[in-house]
Amino acid sequence: MSVNPFPRTTSTETCEATNVTPTPIPAGTPIIKVPVVLQEIQVQIPMHAEIDFPAGQTVLEVKTIGKKTFVTQCKLLNRPPAPGTDPATFVGKVFLSGFVRKNIQYAANPVVDAQGEILSPINSLTVEVPWSCVARVEGFLNLPVGPFTDERADFGYLISQPLPNNMNFAAKDRLEGTDLSQFHQLSTQFFNEMPFCELIQADIIEIDESLDRVPLTGGTGSQTIVGEGTFTRLSEKMVLDLTVKLLQKQQVRVASLGPVVDL
């Protein structure tokens, strides 16, 4: 067996940190490029799903449900703002999609013993409940920049050439126009900064109901256990309140006071 030549330890050596004064930009009004908040919105998303538990398992009761919200798409779609547009009157649409990851812990396959006690193991089921919506945003804190559209224009050069003599043209007549044997074009391509999203908060309220619950029987004489039952399907209704911040990288002019004065 090989021996590791490097000693291993769970302790950490102490190291010293020294504060360093940053070097700022000179005094003036420089332009920086930073994420600018366009708007912060709260979107309410109703959801309804039916969940089937694994085959061969009957559920006595749900013990707890852990929930995590994920966003897979958040796109702002808007027309370029006209010059002088008031941000408070600007309108755009946000396309949102994602899923709620649910981890369901439940008592499965209950067994009733001779004393009428219910025995059941705790199982876990993880499912993803998808959602998608389009939200209309009326009023912005700051206008988005763009999108600027690409431009393409054709142009040609004047040519003058004699006409064929066999087509009844006068000797002094000439063909004036553009050269059809050549192609000329001027094009402009814009690389727009795409607005993006940051998740701020997700609130969920839900109602979960069994769909095929049947009474639980067992024990001496296989009598029905009062109030107990099992099911294999669950219906859930959820309302997701999602708080999202819309941002876009923009050029912003700031005021700089110059170097920091050490006290």
Side-chain angles (χ1 to χ4, degrees), residues 33-82:
K33 189 173 184 179
V34 294
V36 174
V37 177
L38 304 180
Q39 186 56 283
E40 187 170 320
I41 61 174
Q42 186 178 71
V43 182
Q44 190 172 88
I45 306 167
M47 306 166 61
H48 180 214
E50 294 184 0
I51 297 175
D52 292 302
F53 288 90
Q57 294 188 13
T58 57
V59 179
L60 176 67
E61 64 177 347
V62 173
K63 307 300 293 184
T64 184
I65 301 179
K67 295 174 288 294
K68 298 291 184 182
T69 302
F70 293 88
V71 173
T72 57
Q73 177 180 257
C74 183
K75 302 291 186 182
L76 173 65
L77 191 62
N78 64 275
R79 294 183 180 274

Side-chain angles (χ1 to χ4, degrees), residues 65-166:
I65 301 179
K67 295 174 288 294
K68 298 291 184 182
T69 302
F70 293 88
V71 173
T72 57
Q73 177 180 257
C74 183
K75 302 291 186 182
L76 173 65
L77 191 62
N78 64 275
R79 294 183 180 274
T85 300
D86 182 1
T89 63
F90 192 70
V91 177
K93 289 190 176 182
V94 179
F95 289 76
L96 291 158
S97 62
F99 61 91
V100 176
R101 179 186 182 273
K102 306 192 71 173
N103 177 260
I104 307 172
Q105 296 184 17
Y106 57 96
N109 297 334
V111 176
V112 182
D113 62 14
Q115 290 75 34
E117 298 172 332
I118 303 175
L119 309 176
S120 57
I122 301 299
N123 287 1
S124 174
L125 173 66
T126 300
V127 296
E128 295 178 357
V129 181
W131 53 265
S132 64
C133 70
V134 181
R136 177 182 173 90
V137 182
E138 298 182 359
F140 281 66
L141 299 175
N142 295 285
L143 289 174
V145 175
F148 302 106
T149 57
D150 296 344
E151 299 175 356
R152 185 180 298 111
D154 301 336
F155 65 94
Y157 292 103
L158 174 66
I159 63 169
S160 178
Q161 59 188 25
L163 292 167
N165 295 327
N166 58 355

Side-chain angles (χ1 to χ4, degrees), residues 148-151 188-192:
F148 302 106
T149 57
D150 296 344
E151 299 175 356
T188 302
Q189 184 178 5
F190 289 95
F191 299 92
N192 297 284

Side-chain angles (χ1 to χ4, degrees), residues 219-245:
T220 304
S222 297
Q223 72 272 19
T224 299
I225 309 301
V226 177
E228 301 293 345
T230 59
F231 57 91
T232 62
R233 300 184 67 203
L234 192 68
S235 171
E236 63 172 19
K237 298 175 178 64
M238 294 191 299
V239 176
L240 169 63
D241 289 316
L242 193 65
T243 304
V244 177
K245 194 185 296 289

